[in-house]
Amino acid sequence: MFRDGERAIRKEWFVRLFASAVFLEEAMTVTLHVCITCRAGQTLGEGEVAPGKRLHEAILAAGIPDDVNVVPVECLSACSQGCSVALSAPGRWSYVYGRLTDAHAGDIVAGAAAYAAASDGLVPWRSRPEIFRKQSLARIPPIAVVPEAAE
Amino acid sequence: MFRDGERAIRKEWFVRLFASAVFLEEAMTVTLHVCITCRAGQTLGEGEVAPGKRLHEAILAAGIPDDVNVVPVECLSACSQGCSVALSAPGRWSYVYGRLTDAHAGDIVAGAAAYAAASDGLVPWRSRPEIFRKQSLARIPPIAVVPEAAE
């Protein structure tokens, strides 16, 4: 039997443990953000669909791997570089690619699948689609979570 | 008294709880990555310091806020855009800025401090240094950790 205080502490642990488990499960998922507001420098006619939205639709139509989550976003702040997408996941390098059109949807999905298969997000150069090799706008290292606490 | 199995489970909880606490503490820290290999399109003379390394040194000399961690990095893959830095933290938008020189160090540190002070990383437009308003190369949304698990 436990005292009430111990019960409360155990309950608190359960909550934190559950939160950790949710976090760790989600950490496995790769996110592909697609800027859907991008006009790629064009002036759109009445009823015309923005190139970014067309790219998003083409990516969805190309067939998304189970471990990749496609998320539309309003602006990736890379507006001078045409349509853009970003690949990210906890503990991995993040990448932003630009100068994309809906014709690139298949390559983007293939690149996202390769990224999802690399535990640190670092896909060997030759295994990246050409658009990922030539149209990188930026990459950001994974955020170091533990080093300072380990001192 | 507990059975051995219960003891083992409690020990496991302790480890997970500690890991969560470390993660949450680290999550408060903002990372400013600085590309130190950047040559900004120049051919360097014998013994000349790379512009990226000069930028890194100038940022350190400018005085870093306690809640910002400056981390040198070899290449942010934004090589056509001069020297670059990236701001990121768990749960926040990440930003990459380019076309920077060591003369911008003070503004970069001020921008990093404003970012650290904004819990989601979204600093009001007018509170951003001009170089952050005009020299953004890309931004990446925070990675959604919970939504699917909440369904």
Side-chain angles (χ1 to χ4, degrees), chain A residues 142-151, chain B residues 18 22-23 25-27 29 31 33 69 71:
Chain A
I143 298 160
V145 171
V146 181
E148 289 183 324
E151 280 174 9
Chain B
F18 180 73
V22 168
F23 174 78
E25 189 174 321
E26 288 301 306
T29 301
T31 300
H33 284 105
N69 194 21
V71 178

Side-chain angles (χ1 to χ4, degrees), chain A residues 2 17 20 26 76 139 145, chain B residues 2 20 26 76 139 145:
Chain A
F2 304 105
L17 175 58
S20 303
E26 289 299 307
L76 290 169
R139 64 173 189 168
V145 171
Chain B
F2 303 105
S20 303
E26 288 301 306
L76 290 169
R139 63 173 190 169
V145 171

Side-chain angles (χ1 to χ4, degrees), chain A residues 4-142:
Chain A
D4 283 353
E6 283 179 339
R7 278 188 196 281
I9 290 170
R10 283 171 59 111
K11 188 175 173 193
E12 174 75 14
W13 285 350
F14 265 122
V15 171
R16 293 202 183 217
L17 175 58
F18 180 71
S20 303
V22 168
F23 173 79
L24 291 173
E25 189 175 322
E26 289 299 307
M28 307 302 291
T29 301
V30 162
T31 301
L32 175 67
H33 284 106
V34 183
C35 173
I36 57 166
T37 49
C38 183
R39 296 190 301 269
Q42 302 169 23
T43 305
L44 297 182
E46 183 75 20
E48 204 174 345
V49 178
K53 196 158 169 31
R54 288 211 307 272
L55 174 60
H56 180 242
E57 288 165 359
I59 287 171
L60 294 180
I64 308 300
D66 284 344
D67 46 3
V68 176
N69 193 22
V70 177
V71 178
V73 57
E74 295 189 358
C75 197
L76 290 169
S77 289
C79 309
S80 68
Q81 298 291 321
C83 290
S84 58
V85 303
L87 270 173
S88 56
R92 301 185 193 205
W93 286 76
S94 302
Y95 291 85
V96 186
Y97 301 102
R99 303 186 295 278
L100 300 168
T101 73
D102 47 1
H104 296 124
D107 283 344
I108 293 168
V109 169
Y115 176 86
S119 61
D120 54 2
L122 288 169
V123 177
W125 187 256
R126 284 168 180 272
S127 302
R128 302 180 193 185
E130 189 176 353
I131 50 165
F132 281 17
R133 294 199 299 264
K134 296 192 173 173
Q135 291 166 225
S136 164
L137 300 187
R139 64 173 189 168
I140 304 177

